[in-house]
Amino acid sequence: MLPLVRGAVVGGGHRPGEDDQEECGEGEGPVPSACAHGGRRASAGGRRRHSSGIRHVNLAARAGRPRWVDGQTIDSLVVLTAPGPPLENSLLSPVADSVRHLSRHSAVRFLVVGGLSVAVDTGSLFVYHGVLRIVLPVAAGMSFLTSFWVNFGLNRAWSFGSSAQMVPQVGRYFALVLANLTANVVLVSALTWAGTPYLLAKLLVTASLSAANYVVSKRWIFAA
């Protein structure tokens, strides 16, 4: 709420012990419209608030004596406040809009699901082998299947919002996984043989396959 002072001076000749009920007279300007909301007895702090954003400040009660302006006593004033967005919301609004816009794009969601699938694969491998003591080859296969279904389900429902039949999509997705496995082995080996450090080769192949996987998933696997 950003205060916008629009008026106005009210009352005069306030005497201690006199009822603090605001009396509204005829006149122009913001005071009569403010008074139309009705007054309340001033609180001990010398403030009265109205539900419509009008604040009544009793200067005599706050200062212990009336104020003088041009030879007249001023014992209270009415401040009208206009609602407005908080400053921090105004500054963050463009950023929030950009984030919301990006989060609706299927490519961004595809990347998020991919990162989550890697976390699920690693975490489930730790649970299966490190906690449940399942032998490593079996645990690795189980963790792969866990991340497989997480990746497939989230991409189908969230990334691409597909409502087509699921069984054909599972078959196409499994074929894509096998193609990725083959491409990883062949391309990483070829780049390493050509002199590229193996970790860099792995990163390059992963980035290239991720872009290809997005296009294939959107246009073939999860196409409506």
Side-chain angles (χ1 to χ4, degrees), residues 124-140 142:
S124 59
L125 177 61
F126 171 76
V127 172
Y128 295 146
H129 180 66
V131 178
L132 300 180
R133 301 300 180 184
I134 299 175
V135 293
L136 185 58
V138 177
M142 293 174 63

Side-chain angles (χ1 to χ4, degrees), residues 48-190:
R48 282 183 290 186
R49 292 187 179 272
H50 302 264
S51 59
S52 60
I54 300 172
R55 186 178 65 182
H56 184 283
V57 181
N58 192 321
L59 299 178
R62 295 182 67 183
R65 55 184 176 82
R67 303 293 179 90
W68 291 82
V69 177
D70 294 334
Q72 296 183 358
T73 56
I74 306 299
D75 63 357
S76 61
L77 56 84
V78 173
V79 178
L80 303 183
T81 58
L87 181 59
E88 60 273 15
N89 289 350
S90 301
L91 295 176
L92 294 178
S93 180
V95 177
D97 290 342
S98 299
V99 171
R100 281 193 295 267
H101 178 73
L102 287 175
S103 65
R104 297 190 187 103
H105 199 285
S106 58
V108 175
R109 295 184 176 188
F110 184 80
L111 291 176
V112 171
V113 171
L116 182 61
S117 299
V118 172
V120 169
D121 192 3
T122 305
S124 59
L125 177 61
F126 171 76
V127 172
Y128 295 146
H129 180 66
V131 178
L132 300 180
R133 301 300 180 184
I134 299 175
V135 293
L136 185 58
V138 177
M142 293 174 63
S143 65
F144 172 80
L145 289 176
T146 302
S147 64
F148 174 93
W149 287 111
V150 168
N151 188 283
F152 173 81
L154 288 178
N155 277 325
R156 171 183 162 86
W158 186 53
S159 299
F160 303 103
S162 176
S163 57
Q165 292 184 351
M166 187 172 68
V167 175
Q169 290 181 344
V170 172
R172 294 194 289 265
Y173 185 74
F174 187 73
L176 179 64
V177 170
L178 292 179
N180 272 267
L181 177 61
T182 303
N184 260 292
V185 173
V186 173
L187 293 176
V188 171
S189 300

